[in-house]
Amino acid sequence: MRLHFLRHMALEDAGSIAAWASDQGCSLAHTLLYESGTLPAIDSFDWLLILGGPMNIYEEERFPWLAEEKLFIRAAIAAGKVVIGFCLGAQLIADVLGGRVTRSREPEIGWLPVRWSAQAREHPLFSFFPETSMVLEWHYDTFSVLPPEAEALAGSEGCAHQLFMYKERVFGFQFHLEANPEMLERLVAVCGSDMQRPSAYVQSSGEVLARKEYIVLNNLWLAEFLTRLKELERRRKL
């Protein structure tokens, strides 16, 4: 299976997904959009994974490649690819599917609880998650209005929409299950000023770095989700 990643900044890479892909025998390729990388042919990958970044989906004048990226994401979805977005990636998916991305009521940065819907707890792709899960948040915007036909699967006190699914092949995670220890340390070192903003949902760098056990859990949860999704896709092709 061939995975292709869209990257928006050097700090955010495939994270724990790289280890899962290696275990599963998957190939990995990347487009570095922040370096004006070339987007691949649609038939050159099976899954498209869209990572996070500091820009907003509506900043096309400042980041002109956003417009091309949105067209590419739309084409990948139309081609029936598995498409998974994290944070900015999820917001881009929501936008191209007809949702609305706006500033969140409050920023969320740190380890915060999300609560899974009854539908998610009954779905085979998500049923293993604890009803309330501590996940890594780092965002100011969110998909405030979900796309038509998208199903809301998780939310939090500070942000109503934390995860959506579209036709069981497209997934938008507002949070960062993919962040491994190295990525988290880079983010805190470079983007630590984000943690100085007063908010009920913003934690200090010390609080975030102290909870290494949460990183392990988040990475395990993501690996289980990806494994179940891979099996679902295999059965669909039989």
Side-chain angles (χ1 to χ4, degrees):
M1 191 170 73
R2 303 162 301 169
L3 310 185
H4 194 93
F5 292 82
L6 301 183
R7 292 180 56 185
H8 306 100
M9 64 187 305
L11 293 178
E12 296 196 35
D13 56 21
S16 69
I17 305 172
W20 175 84
S22 177
D23 290 342
Q24 297 286 322
C26 302
S27 66
L28 278 74
H30 303 258
T31 296
L32 306 182
L33 291 162
Y34 57 94
E35 292 185 356
S36 302
T38 301
L39 291 166
I42 292 291
D43 62 1
S44 69
F45 61 89
D46 302 301
W47 289 16
L48 180 67
L49 297 104
I50 312 160
L51 302 177
M55 59 287 301
N56 301 308
I57 64 106
Y58 39 80
E59 292 187 291
E60 293 178 0
E61 288 189 11
R62 186 177 174 192
F63 304 98
W65 42 262
L66 279 169
E68 184 182 4
E69 181 183 15
K70 291 177 186 179
L71 292 173
F72 181 76
I73 294 169
R74 184 177 289 115
I77 294 172
K81 305 292 183 178
V82 167
V83 180
I84 306 172
F86 299 95
C87 201
L88 172 64
Q91 295 164 14
L92 286 162
I93 293 170
D95 180 69
V96 304
L97 288 175
R100 187 178 177 212
V101 176
T102 60
R103 211 67 164 169
S104 293
R105 181 171 54 86
E106 294 274 2
E108 290 185 309
I109 300 174
W111 297 107
L112 297 166
V114 298
R115 188 173 181 85
W116 297 84
S117 68
Q119 178 187 4
R121 295 197 302 273
E122 294 174 359
H123 196 286
L125 290 176
F126 302 98
S127 59
F128 66 92
F129 278 94
E131 184 174 345
T132 299
S133 305
M134 295 296 289
V135 300
L136 180 64
E137 304 275 8
W138 204 306
H139 69 100
Y140 294 93
D141 284 7
T142 192
F143 27 88
S144 53
V145 178
L146 292 180
E149 300 184 67
E151 303 170 66
L153 298 178
S156 70
E157 184 178 285
C159 184
H161 297 145
Q162 289 282 352
L163 169 63
F164 68 85
M165 175 174 66
Y166 176 79
K167 297 186 177 179
E168 292 197 325
R169 271 209 173 98
V170 180
F171 306 88
F173 291 82
Q174 185 58 77
F175 43 95
H176 289 278
L177 295 178
E178 83 286 6
N180 57 17
E182 295 78 17
M183 186 192 303
L184 182 56
E185 288 172 6
R186 290 196 302 269
L187 286 169
V188 170
V190 177
C191 306
S193 60
D194 289 355
M195 299 170 149
Q196 297 171 10
R197 305 193 182 201
S199 170
Y201 308 109
V202 174
Q203 297 169 358
S204 70
S205 59
E207 289 177 284
V208 172
L209 292 175
R211 303 312 298 265
K212 305 270 180 160
E213 71 275 19
Y214 289 157
I215 301 178
V216 174
L217 277 175
N218 277 217
N219 293 172
L220 287 172
W221 289 336
L222 180 56
E224 180 65 20
F225 164 74
L226 295 172
T227 300
R228 292 185 179 207
L229 180 57
K230 184 177 179 231
E231 175 60 18
L232 177 62
E233 286 297 300
R234 184 191 68 80
R235 293 200 305 268
R236 279 177 173 155
K237 293 173 182 175
L238 293 178

